[in-house]
Structure formats: structure tokens, C-alpha cells
Amino acid sequence: MKRVFNLGRKSVLSLSLVLCGIGALLVSCRRPDYIPAVPEIKAKLAPVVDTGYLTPMPIGNPVSGHPWIAHVNAVDLDHDGLMDVIACEAQEGKVLWLRQVSRGKFEEIVLADHLPAPVHAEVAEMSVPGRYDILVSCMSVVFPDNDKIGSIVILENDGKQHFTPHVILENVARVTDVRAGDFSGDGRLDLIVAQYGYDQGEIRLMERVGRWEFKSKILLDLPGTINVLVADFCGHGRQDIVALVSQQYEEIFLFENKGGGKFEKRILWGSTNEDYASSNISLCDLNKDGRPDVLYTNGDGFGPSPVPGPRPWHGVQWLENAGGGKFKFHRIGDQAGAYGPIGVDLDGDGNMDVVALSAFNSWEKPGAVSMVWYKNDGKMNFTPHILAYEPIQLLTVTAGDFDGNGQQALVTGAFFGTPPYDRMSRITLWRRPKNP
């Protein structure tokens, strides 16, 4: 069973809540002949306890109640040279701007509220070049079912960081991610949309035909899409799409842009374990060969048991782009409740590393980890470094240069949808300790 939370009269699903399928009640439609036969490579390197490597600092408002931070994104929203954070608070229906007013000092500003469970926010120059508008994915606030209650809101920036909301899609299967890309090559940004739904969902291409008008085309008619990524994955100069589909499918799809509005669909990787528990994918050129790769976590804590917690198959993966639309699967490491993988050169040695969170774990055990850094030795061998045992229930992480010194720092968001409600945080900045 995927992740569902009750709020009295209403229920909300988190981003990777996303994760609302009841696997035991769904009939599999898997087509095994479509799944590439690739080995899983398990990491054998022993973990290093490195909890002093980064120093945590809460930013924004203090913890109140049980925070539901579904997404954080590092971006200099006002172009003042200081890195900021935008965040989605799904329970409160808010998109937040944690503006860095001076080095290490943040003020929290509500950019939009009364939104129906916003779970993902991306920036794109949708209106005026040089201005960041915000694409907001909304799942809505009901129990998981097939009602058409998803929506997309674009927050239009007037250039002074005042935002006007435009609802450009509504009354559809619940939306978990939306990204911008010029898929038609006409110079206008189109949208690709992940609609998780429940036992009916889809991946929707929205071609821009006016200022806030779009024409929709369905690329995939399956439930469970969590994330979509946009890049030239095939090296032909056009924007392709990679999508993660969970539920009982547990597959990663490539939609190769053939031009003229046509896309060729194929499965890059899939698990025969219907409870593989896919959680997130992200974009990263991990081996720095100039081709965009895909980082992938599986760590959803529900299913097959209704009790949330780790599963032995949870972990972190890398789909290496081998060129020509072909990818090679690598297992980076086992990690309980793995979520939110990002590529970041955390130690500044020139090698791209990976950071992943544990959204689900056996929190009653003192050795349950919360955040892990997979340090790359430059030969694509990854040593797990345990960055934190607490705060717990971290769901989302982003990286950026917050101090202006070239060092990458992390920002995490916590989502407390289930007990235990301790060792809590909301939004946290993790930086290298300053030298005395």
C-alpha cells in the first residue's frame, strides 16, 4: 500500500506520496518482454560515519505541528546573487520562498496559499525572459481515488517577485510533477506533466498555443507517475523525456522526441518486483561525459506490509546514459527508505557524488540513518558516508552554493505524515563547518 494520510475531514498525499497505490488490490499489467535484462550491481563498500561533515541550521519558520514539506528547490529567485529556496508545504497548501537576505540569514515569504496540496515546484521563464515563474504541481486533498482533482498552477512573476496564479490545468488525475521544455522547437516552452492518479493516471504533454493556453496530448495511459525529466537524452538536439512510473509497474520510460510532435516510447529499466517501491528520479551527469544520466531511488515505505518501514531491496541507482537512447543500470548502494537522490560535488574534489535521504526507516533503532552521501572516488566507486541520523523523516533535498564560496550546501525538507513525531525538523540548511 502506498502512502496515505488522514487529516480528519480531509486527506492529503505528499509528493512522493506520490505513492498512493494499493499494490495488493491492483492487477498487474506488466509486460515482461519489454523490460531490459540488466544486472543489479550492489555496493560492497562499508559505510563511514561522517555526521560532523555538515552542520545543520534550521531556516524559515520554526517547527509547528507536523510539517509536510513535500519539495524544496534551490534557486536565486530574485537574481540578487544570493541562493534562495522555494518549498511546498502540502498540508498548509502553500508555496514558500525562503529568501536569503544576507549570507546565512533567511526570511520566509508565502508566494501562494490555499493551493490544493502543492507537492512540487519548478522555475521556468514562462512569461518574460530573465524572470522566474513557478510551475506548481497539485495533488489535491482527498483520499486516493480516480476523481479528477489534480491541477497545475503557474505563479507568474511581475519582475519584483510578486506572483499572480494562473490555473492552466484542473480536474485531471492528481498531478505530481511538471517540467518545462521546448519540445516542438518553436521557441516557446511547453510542459510535460506527471499525473499519478490512483489506478488511473497518465503522462500528459501540453503544447503551448497562447500566453497561458495549452493543447494536451497523452503520451502514456498508466497510473503511478512520480517524476518527469527533460533533457536531450538521445543526443539529437531535441528535448526528450524520462519518466518514473511506480505502482505495480516500477518502470522508467524514455520518450524520444522524433520531431514533428512525435515521441517514441520505450522502457529503460523495470523491476519484476511489483513492490520495488520507486520513489524519485533526478537528472545528473554523474560520470561527466556530457550525456545526461538518471539517478533513481526506491524506498517507499508501504507495501507489501501496511506498516511503514524499510525493505531489504530499498536503495540508490544510477542509469548511465550510454548514448543513442541506451542506458546501463548500476546499483550505487542499499539504503532503507531511499528518497530524493541528487547529484552534487559535495566535497569539491571535481567528482560528482550522490546524496539520498531515508524517508522511511526503523526510527526506533539508534542506527537508523536519515541522510547518506555516496562519495565518488573518481572511478565511479561510491563509498556511503552517513551524514545524519536525525532529524528523521526527510523527504526532499536540494543543493546550491549558499555561501558564495563555491562550496555546495544542502537543504532538506521533512514530511511527518506518520509517527514517530520526534527528532523533528521543517526546512534545514546543511553546510560545511567554518574553519576557526
Side-chain angles (χ1 to χ4, degrees), residues 291-346:
R291 293 190 289 256
D293 305 315
V294 177
L295 298 177
Y296 167 40
T297 50
N298 61 307
D300 178 37
F302 283 80
S305 168
V307 179
R311 308 289 179 252
W313 51 83
H314 286 176
V316 183
Q317 290 87 194
W318 163 40
L319 273 68
E320 177 188 1
N321 190 337
K326 296 181 180 179
F327 287 74
K328 183 179 181 180
F329 178 97
H330 303 270
R331 181 80 165 190
I332 291 177
D334 300 335
Q335 183 173 336
Y339 264 70
I342 60 169
V344 54
D345 182 4
L346 195 60

Tab-separated table of all heavy atoms in Angstrom, residues 291-346:
chain	number	residue	atom	x	y	z
A	291	ARG	N	26.782	13.471	-21.259
A	291	ARG	CA	25.446	12.914	-21.514
A	291	ARG	C	24.642	12.898	-20.215
A	291	ARG	O	25.161	12.487	-19.172
A	291	ARG	CB	25.549	11.507	-22.092
A	291	ARG	CG	26.143	11.443	-23.483
A	291	ARG	CD	25.995	10.062	-24.095
A	291	ARG	NE	26.853	9.083	-23.456
A	291	ARG	CZ	27.981	8.601	-23.979
A	291	ARG	NH1	28.400	9.050	-25.158
A	291	ARG	NH2	28.676	7.685	-23.341
A	292	PRO	N	23.376	13.319	-20.248
A	292	PRO	CA	22.567	13.349	-19.021
A	292	PRO	C	22.209	11.944	-18.553
A	292	PRO	O	21.676	11.133	-19.315
A	292	PRO	CB	21.318	14.133	-19.436
A	292	PRO	CG	21.226	13.948	-20.916
A	292	PRO	CD	22.635	13.839	-21.420
A	293	ASP	N	22.516	11.649	-17.295
A	293	ASP	CA	22.176	10.376	-16.667
A	293	ASP	C	20.944	10.557	-15.783
A	293	ASP	O	20.431	11.669	-15.616
A	293	ASP	CB	23.345	9.866	-15.825
A	293	ASP	CG	24.637	9.763	-16.612
A	293	ASP	OD1	24.597	9.254	-17.746
A	293	ASP	OD2	25.689	10.195	-16.093
A	294	VAL	N	20.504	9.448	-15.189
A	294	VAL	CA	19.337	9.466	-14.308
A	294	VAL	C	19.720	8.824	-12.979
A	294	VAL	O	20.242	7.701	-12.942
A	294	VAL	CB	18.151	8.712	-14.929
A	294	VAL	CG1	16.965	8.667	-13.959
A	294	VAL	CG2	17.734	9.352	-16.254
A	295	LEU	N	19.482	9.535	-11.874
A	295	LEU	CA	19.591	8.955	-10.541
A	295	LEU	C	18.203	8.491	-10.101
A	295	LEU	O	17.200	9.147	-10.385
A	295	LEU	CB	20.143	9.978	-9.547
A	295	LEU	CG	21.558	10.493	-9.827
A	295	LEU	CD1	21.952	11.548	-8.795
A	295	LEU	CD2	22.562	9.361	-9.847
A	296	TYR	N	18.173	7.379	-9.378
A	296	TYR	CA	16.890	6.707	-9.121
A	296	TYR	C	16.920	6.084	-7.728
A	296	TYR	O	17.868	5.378	-7.389
A	296	TYR	CB	16.684	5.639	-10.200
A	296	TYR	CG	15.598	4.623	-9.989
A	296	TYR	CD1	14.355	4.960	-9.456
A	296	TYR	CD2	15.797	3.297	-10.362
A	296	TYR	CE1	13.363	4.021	-9.301
A	296	TYR	CE2	14.807	2.339	-10.225
A	296	TYR	CZ	13.588	2.697	-9.687
A	296	TYR	OH	12.599	1.753	-9.530
A	297	THR	N	15.902	6.388	-6.920
A	297	THR	CA	15.758	5.742	-5.620
A	297	THR	C	14.483	4.911	-5.574
A	297	THR	O	13.473	5.235	-6.198
A	297	THR	CB	15.714	6.768	-4.469
A	297	THR	OG1	14.758	7.793	-4.783
A	297	THR	CG2	17.076	7.379	-4.229
A	298	ASN	N	14.564	3.841	-4.811
A	298	ASN	CA	13.362	3.077	-4.450
A	298	ASN	C	13.372	2.924	-2.943
A	298	ASN	O	14.312	2.399	-2.367
A	298	ASN	CB	13.325	1.711	-5.154
A	298	ASN	CG	14.492	0.815	-4.782
A	298	ASN	OD1	15.650	1.205	-4.879
A	298	ASN	ND2	14.187	-0.405	-4.351
A	299	GLY	N	12.318	3.460	-2.295
A	299	GLY	CA	12.305	3.443	-0.840
A	299	GLY	C	10.964	3.762	-0.225
A	299	GLY	O	10.892	4.075	0.967
A	300	ASP	N	9.901	3.682	-1.050
A	300	ASP	CA	8.581	3.925	-0.479
A	300	ASP	C	8.327	2.912	0.623
A	300	ASP	O	8.544	1.720	0.453
A	300	ASP	CB	7.519	3.824	-1.562
A	300	ASP	CG	6.127	4.030	-1.012
A	300	ASP	OD1	5.971	4.872	-0.112
A	300	ASP	OD2	5.199	3.345	-1.470
A	301	GLY	N	7.857	3.375	1.774
A	301	GLY	CA	7.793	2.535	2.958
A	301	GLY	C	6.563	1.674	3.098
A	301	GLY	O	6.460	0.916	4.066
A	302	PHE	N	5.619	1.778	2.175
A	302	PHE	CA	4.401	0.986	2.274
A	302	PHE	C	4.403	-0.108	1.218
A	302	PHE	O	4.796	0.120	0.071
A	302	PHE	CB	3.169	1.862	2.085
A	302	PHE	CG	2.834	2.682	3.287
A	302	PHE	CD1	3.528	3.852	3.552
A	302	PHE	CD2	1.850	2.295	4.167
A	302	PHE	CE1	3.233	4.626	4.652
A	302	PHE	CE2	1.545	3.061	5.278
A	302	PHE	CZ	2.236	4.230	5.524
A	303	GLY	N	3.907	-1.272	1.566
A	303	GLY	CA	3.783	-2.378	0.646
A	303	GLY	C	5.030	-3.251	0.648
A	303	GLY	O	6.133	-2.744	0.525
A	304	PRO	N	4.873	-4.575	0.758
A	304	PRO	CA	3.583	-5.244	0.862
A	304	PRO	C	2.938	-5.144	2.239
A	304	PRO	O	1.762	-5.380	2.401
A	304	PRO	CB	3.914	-6.702	0.533
A	304	PRO	CG	5.335	-6.852	0.960
A	304	PRO	CD	5.989	-5.536	0.682
A	305	SER	N	3.728	-4.777	3.270
A	305	SER	CA	3.171	-4.628	4.608
A	305	SER	C	2.494	-3.267	4.742
A	305	SER	O	2.995	-2.280	4.222
A	305	SER	CB	4.273	-4.757	5.655
A	305	SER	OG	3.808	-4.361	6.916
A	306	PRO	N	1.344	-3.195	5.446
A	306	PRO	CA	0.700	-1.889	5.663
A	306	PRO	C	1.426	-1.032	6.682
A	306	PRO	O	1.102	0.129	6.853
A	306	PRO	CB	-0.696	-2.275	6.170
A	306	PRO	CG	-0.516	-3.606	6.822
A	306	PRO	CD	0.543	-4.310	6.014
A	307	VAL	N	2.437	-1.579	7.359
A	307	VAL	CA	3.201	-0.827	8.345
A	307	VAL	C	4.391	-0.170	7.648
A	307	VAL	O	5.195	-0.849	7.014
A	307	VAL	CB	3.695	-1.745	9.478
A	307	VAL	CG1	4.513	-0.951	10.485
A	307	VAL	CG2	2.513	-2.423	10.159
A	308	PRO	N	4.518	1.166	7.730
A	308	PRO	CA	5.625	1.828	7.032
A	308	PRO	C	6.970	1.439	7.614
A	308	PRO	O	7.111	1.250	8.815
A	308	PRO	CB	5.328	3.319	7.245
A	308	PRO	CG	4.503	3.367	8.488
A	308	PRO	CD	3.683	2.120	8.486
A	309	GLY	N	7.954	1.299	6.742
A	309	GLY	CA	9.286	0.958	7.207
A	309	GLY	C	10.183	0.534	6.074
A	309	GLY	O	9.777	0.500	4.907
A	310	PRO	N	11.437	0.223	6.383
A	310	PRO	CA	12.398	-0.140	5.344
A	310	PRO	C	12.129	-1.531	4.775
A	310	PRO	O	11.512	-2.373	5.422
A	310	PRO	CB	13.728	-0.096	6.087
A	310	PRO	CG	13.376	-0.420	7.507
A	310	PRO	CD	12.037	0.207	7.735
A	311	ARG	N	12.618	-1.731	3.563
A	311	ARG	CA	12.550	-3.031	2.916
A	311	ARG	C	13.969	-3.384	2.448
A	311	ARG	O	14.751	-2.494	2.095
A	311	ARG	CB	11.593	-3.010	1.722
A	311	ARG	CG	10.207	-2.468	2.041
A	311	ARG	CD	9.383	-3.416	2.914
A	311	ARG	NE	8.071	-2.849	3.207
A	311	ARG	CZ	7.687	-2.385	4.385
A	311	ARG	NH1	8.538	-2.381	5.401
A	311	ARG	NH2	6.475	-1.910	4.574
A	312	PRO	N	14.308	-4.662	2.390
A	312	PRO	CA	15.691	-5.034	2.062
A	312	PRO	C	16.126	-4.652	0.666
A	312	PRO	O	17.325	-4.565	0.399
A	312	PRO	CB	15.702	-6.559	2.255
A	312	PRO	CG	14.267	-6.977	2.215
A	312	PRO	CD	13.491	-5.830	2.760
A	313	TRP	N	15.186	-4.393	-0.232
A	313	TRP	CA	15.545	-4.042	-1.607
A	313	TRP	C	15.633	-2.536	-1.838
A	313	TRP	O	15.934	-2.089	-2.931
A	313	TRP	CB	14.549	-4.648	-2.589
A	313	TRP	CG	13.101	-4.360	-2.266
A	313	TRP	CD1	12.391	-3.245	-2.583
A	313	TRP	CD2	12.203	-5.225	-1.560
A	313	TRP	NE1	11.107	-3.332	-2.122
A	313	TRP	CE2	10.951	-4.546	-1.491
A	313	TRP	CE3	12.312	-6.492	-0.986
A	313	TRP	CZ2	9.845	-5.105	-0.864
A	313	TRP	CZ3	11.198	-7.043	-0.367
A	313	TRP	CH2	9.988	-6.355	-0.299
A	314	HIS	N	15.376	-1.743	-0.834
A	314	HIS	CA	15.461	-0.287	-0.987
A	314	HIS	C	16.892	0.135	-1.313
A	314	HIS	O	17.850	-0.454	-0.824
A	314	HIS	CB	15.022	0.413	0.294
A	314	HIS	CG	13.548	0.372	0.527
A	314	HIS	ND1	12.952	0.879	1.666
A	314	HIS	CD2	12.527	-0.105	-0.234
A	314	HIS	CE1	11.634	0.713	1.600
A	314	HIS	NE2	11.367	0.115	0.460
A	315	GLY	N	17.033	1.195	-2.114
A	315	GLY	CA	18.377	1.662	-2.406
A	315	GLY	C	18.451	2.769	-3.434
A	315	GLY	O	17.453	3.401	-3.787
A	316	VAL	N	19.684	3.003	-3.908
A	316	VAL	CA	20.011	4.099	-4.810
A	316	VAL	C	20.638	3.525	-6.070
A	316	VAL	O	21.518	2.651	-5.986
A	316	VAL	CB	20.987	5.093	-4.142
A	316	VAL	CG1	21.282	6.273	-5.061
A	316	VAL	CG2	20.422	5.580	-2.808
A	317	GLN	N	20.187	4.007	-7.232
A	317	GLN	CA	20.663	3.510	-8.511
A	317	GLN	C	21.090	4.639	-9.435
A	317	GLN	O	20.684	5.786	-9.247
A	317	GLN	CB	19.564	2.698	-9.227
A	317	GLN	CG	19.231	1.374	-8.611
A	317	GLN	CD	18.180	1.427	-7.511
A	317	GLN	OE1	18.019	0.473	-6.768
A	317	GLN	NE2	17.458	2.526	-7.376
A	318	TRP	N	21.866	4.265	-10.438
A	318	TRP	CA	22.323	5.184	-11.476
A	318	TRP	C	22.066	4.537	-12.825
A	318	TRP	O	22.519	3.437	-13.090
A	318	TRP	CB	23.809	5.482	-11.281
A	318	TRP	CG	24.539	6.085	-12.440
A	318	TRP	CD1	24.084	7.037	-13.299
A	318	TRP	CD2	25.881	5.789	-12.857
A	318	TRP	NE1	25.055	7.355	-14.236
A	318	TRP	CE2	26.165	6.610	-13.978
A	318	TRP	CE3	26.871	4.933	-12.396
A	318	TRP	CZ2	27.394	6.570	-14.644
A	318	TRP	CZ3	28.092	4.900	-13.046
A	318	TRP	CH2	28.345	5.705	-14.157
A	319	LEU	N	21.289	5.218	-13.664
A	319	LEU	CA	21.098	4.788	-15.046
A	319	LEU	C	22.057	5.608	-15.899
A	319	LEU	O	21.828	6.790	-16.156
A	319	LEU	CB	19.651	4.976	-15.501
A	319	LEU	CG	18.713	3.790	-15.192
A	319	LEU	CD1	18.500	3.656	-13.688
A	319	LEU	CD2	17.372	3.969	-15.896
A	320	GLU	N	23.142	4.976	-16.309
A	320	GLU	CA	24.196	5.623	-17.085
A	320	GLU	C	23.786	5.740	-18.542
A	320	GLU	O	23.423	4.752	-19.180
A	320	GLU	CB	25.489	4.828	-16.975
A	320	GLU	CG	26.632	5.383	-17.795
A	320	GLU	CD	27.842	4.476	-17.812
A	320	GLU	OE1	27.788	3.384	-17.181
A	320	GLU	OE2	28.843	4.834	-18.458
A	321	ASN	N	23.828	6.951	-19.055
A	321	ASN	CA	23.481	7.201	-20.455
A	321	ASN	C	24.652	6.752	-21.322
A	321	ASN	O	25.724	7.353	-21.316
A	321	ASN	CB	23.188	8.685	-20.657
A	321	ASN	CG	22.593	8.992	-22.007
A	321	ASN	OD1	22.764	8.241	-22.965
A	321	ASN	ND2	21.895	10.119	-22.099
A	322	ALA	N	24.436	5.678	-22.076
A	322	ALA	CA	25.483	5.124	-22.930
A	322	ALA	C	25.442	5.693	-24.341
A	322	ALA	O	26.254	5.310	-25.186
A	322	ALA	CB	25.364	3.597	-22.981
A	323	GLY	N	24.498	6.621	-24.597
A	323	GLY	CA	24.380	7.228	-25.921
A	323	GLY	C	23.349	6.518	-26.781
A	323	GLY	O	23.055	5.336	-26.593
A	324	GLY	N	22.793	7.267	-27.705
A	324	GLY	CA	21.821	6.680	-28.628
A	324	GLY	C	20.555	6.201	-27.969
A	324	GLY	O	19.885	5.299	-28.501
A	325	GLY	N	20.212	6.747	-26.815
A	325	GLY	CA	18.989	6.339	-26.129
A	325	GLY	C	19.132	5.059	-25.331
A	325	GLY	O	18.131	4.510	-24.874
A	326	LYS	N	20.365	4.580	-25.134
A	326	LYS	CA	20.594	3.365	-24.361
A	326	LYS	C	21.171	3.729	-22.995
A	326	LYS	O	21.997	4.641	-22.875
A	326	LYS	CB	21.544	2.431	-25.103
A	326	LYS	CG	20.982	1.926	-26.428
A	326	LYS	CD	21.952	0.984	-27.118
A	326	LYS	CE	21.363	0.490	-28.442
A	326	LYS	NZ	22.310	-0.429	-29.145
A	327	PHE	N	20.756	2.981	-21.969
A	327	PHE	CA	21.179	3.247	-20.603
A	327	PHE	C	21.633	1.953	-19.938
A	327	PHE	O	21.116	0.876	-20.232
A	327	PHE	CB	20.034	3.858	-19.785
A	327	PHE	CG	19.729	5.286	-20.146
A	327	PHE	CD1	19.073	5.611	-21.326
A	327	PHE	CD2	20.100	6.326	-19.295
A	327	PHE	CE1	18.792	6.923	-21.666
A	327	PHE	CE2	19.816	7.644	-19.622
A	327	PHE	CZ	19.175	7.940	-20.805
A	328	LYS	N	22.588	2.087	-19.015
A	328	LYS	CA	23.100	0.948	-18.263
A	328	LYS	C	22.795	1.158	-16.791
A	328	LYS	O	23.099	2.201	-16.222
A	328	LYS	CB	24.609	0.803	-18.482
A	328	LYS	CG	25.213	-0.403	-17.780
A	328	LYS	CD	26.708	-0.514	-18.061
A	328	LYS	CE	27.320	-1.734	-17.367
A	328	LYS	NZ	28.779	-1.833	-17.633
A	329	PHE	N	22.231	0.145	-16.164
A	329	PHE	CA	21.807	0.216	-14.767
A	329	PHE	C	22.978	-0.116	-13.840
A	329	PHE	O	23.700	-1.091	-14.049
A	329	PHE	CB	20.664	-0.776	-14.537
A	329	PHE	CG	20.152	-0.855	-13.122
A	329	PHE	CD1	19.033	-0.137	-12.750
A	329	PHE	CD2	20.770	-1.659	-12.183
A	329	PHE	CE1	18.537	-0.229	-11.456
A	329	PHE	CE2	20.293	-1.744	-10.890
A	329	PHE	CZ	19.175	-1.032	-10.524
A	330	HIS	N	23.161	0.715	-12.788
A	330	HIS	CA	24.157	0.452	-11.749
A	330	HIS	C	23.488	0.625	-10.391
A	330	HIS	O	22.805	1.623	-10.158
A	330	HIS	CB	25.330	1.433	-11.816
A	330	HIS	CG	26.054	1.470	-13.119
A	330	HIS	ND1	27.124	0.664	-13.405
A	330	HIS	CD2	25.849	2.240	-14.219
A	330	HIS	CE1	27.570	0.927	-14.622
A	330	HIS	NE2	26.808	1.882	-15.139
A	331	ARG	N	23.701	-0.304	-9.508
A	331	ARG	CA	23.279	-0.149	-8.122
A	331	ARG	C	24.388	0.586	-7.380
A	331	ARG	O	25.527	0.110	-7.316
A	331	ARG	CB	23.027	-1.512	-7.488
A	331	ARG	CG	22.561	-1.466	-6.034
A	331	ARG	CD	21.088	-1.156	-5.894
A	331	ARG	NE	20.600	-1.467	-4.553
A	331	ARG	CZ	19.330	-1.477	-4.197
A	331	ARG	NH1	18.411	-1.194	-5.100
A	331	ARG	NH2	18.964	-1.777	-2.974
A	332	ILE	N	24.095	1.743	-6.836
A	332	ILE	CA	25.086	2.515	-6.091
A	332	ILE	C	25.187	2.028	-4.664
A	332	ILE	O	26.282	1.882	-4.114
A	332	ILE	CB	24.745	4.014	-6.142
A	332	ILE	CG1	24.942	4.549	-7.571
A	332	ILE	CG2	25.594	4.803	-5.157
A	332	ILE	CD1	24.562	6.004	-7.742
A	333	GLY	N	24.041	1.768	-4.030
A	333	GLY	CA	24.084	1.303	-2.652
A	333	GLY	C	22.711	0.973	-2.113
A	333	GLY	O	21.693	1.453	-2.622
A	334	ASP	N	22.691	0.139	-1.090
A	334	ASP	CA	21.451	-0.175	-0.384
A	334	ASP	C	21.175	0.925	0.626
A	334	ASP	O	22.087	1.379	1.331
A	334	ASP	CB	21.572	-1.516	0.343
A	334	ASP	CG	21.847	-2.672	-0.605
A	334	ASP	OD1	21.502	-2.573	-1.791
A	334	ASP	OD2	22.422	-3.685	-0.151
A	335	GLN	N	19.918	1.351	0.706
A	335	GLN	CA	19.561	2.386	1.672
A	335	GLN	C	18.087	2.265	2.024
A	335	GLN	O	17.215	2.340	1.158
A	335	GLN	CB	19.846	3.790	1.121
A	335	GLN	CG	19.549	4.902	2.121
A	335	GLN	CD	19.996	6.261	1.629
A	335	GLN	OE1	20.881	6.375	0.798
A	335	GLN	NE2	19.379	7.317	2.148
A	336	ALA	N	17.811	2.089	3.290
A	336	ALA	CA	16.433	1.945	3.757
A	336	ALA	C	15.637	3.212	3.481
A	336	ALA	O	16.092	4.317	3.748
A	336	ALA	CB	16.429	1.642	5.254
A	337	GLY	N	14.453	3.045	2.912
A	337	GLY	CA	13.546	4.170	2.704
A	337	GLY	C	14.083	5.248	1.797
A	337	GLY	O	13.769	6.427	1.982
A	338	ALA	N	14.879	4.880	0.788
A	338	ALA	CA	15.602	5.866	-0.021
A	338	ALA	C	14.672	6.771	-0.819
A	338	ALA	O	13.771	6.303	-1.508
A	338	ALA	CB	16.573	5.155	-0.963
A	339	TYR	N	14.959	8.065	-0.733
A	339	TYR	CA	14.197	9.100	-1.443
A	339	TYR	C	15.144	10.191	-1.926
A	339	TYR	O	16.259	10.347	-1.424
A	339	TYR	CB	13.177	9.767	-0.506
A	339	TYR	CG	11.779	9.214	-0.559
A	339	TYR	CD1	11.510	7.948	-0.065
A	339	TYR	CD2	10.727	9.953	-1.091
A	339	TYR	CE1	10.228	7.444	-0.086
A	339	TYR	CE2	9.446	9.449	-1.117
A	339	TYR	CZ	9.194	8.194	-0.616
A	339	TYR	OH	7.925	7.695	-0.654
A	340	GLY	N	14.673	10.991	-2.878
A	340	GLY	CA	15.252	12.277	-3.231
A	340	GLY	C	16.696	12.279	-3.674
A	340	GLY	O	17.472	13.115	-3.189
A	341	PRO	N	17.140	11.417	-4.594
A	341	PRO	CA	18.560	11.417	-4.960
A	341	PRO	C	18.942	12.681	-5.722
A	341	PRO	O	18.211	13.148	-6.587
A	341	PRO	CB	18.673	10.187	-5.872
A	341	PRO	CG	17.325	10.123	-6.548
A	341	PRO	CD	16.340	10.542	-5.483
A	342	ILE	N	20.089	13.239	-5.401
A	342	ILE	CA	20.615	14.376	-6.166
A	342	ILE	C	22.097	14.157	-6.430
A	342	ILE	O	22.803	13.526	-5.641
A	342	ILE	CB	20.411	15.727	-5.458
A	342	ILE	CG1	21.118	15.757	-4.089
A	342	ILE	CG2	18.940	16.064	-5.320
A	342	ILE	CD1	21.183	17.138	-3.458
A	343	GLY	N	22.573	14.668	-7.548
A	343	GLY	CA	23.984	14.672	-7.851
A	343	GLY	C	24.598	15.982	-7.404
A	343	GLY	O	24.077	17.056	-7.723
A	344	VAL	N	25.702	15.914	-6.645
A	344	VAL	CA	26.334	17.119	-6.121
A	344	VAL	C	27.783	16.787	-5.775
A	344	VAL	O	28.074	15.723	-5.209
A	344	VAL	CB	25.583	17.652	-4.874
A	344	VAL	CG1	25.428	16.581	-3.810
A	344	VAL	CG2	26.274	18.875	-4.296
A	345	ASP	N	28.705	17.661	-6.146
A	345	ASP	CA	30.106	17.505	-5.749
A	345	ASP	C	30.239	18.075	-4.350
A	345	ASP	O	30.636	19.233	-4.154
A	345	ASP	CB	31.023	18.227	-6.742
A	345	ASP	CG	32.496	18.057	-6.413
A	345	ASP	OD1	32.818	17.311	-5.463
A	345	ASP	OD2	33.337	18.687	-7.100
A	346	LEU	N	29.935	17.264	-3.368
A	346	LEU	CA	29.787	17.765	-2.010
A	346	LEU	C	31.125	18.162	-1.377
A	346	LEU	O	31.176	19.071	-0.545
A	346	LEU	CB	29.082	16.715	-1.134
A	346	LEU	CG	28.531	17.203	0.201
A	346	LEU	CD1	27.493	18.304	0.007
A	346	LEU	CD2	27.918	16.045	0.985
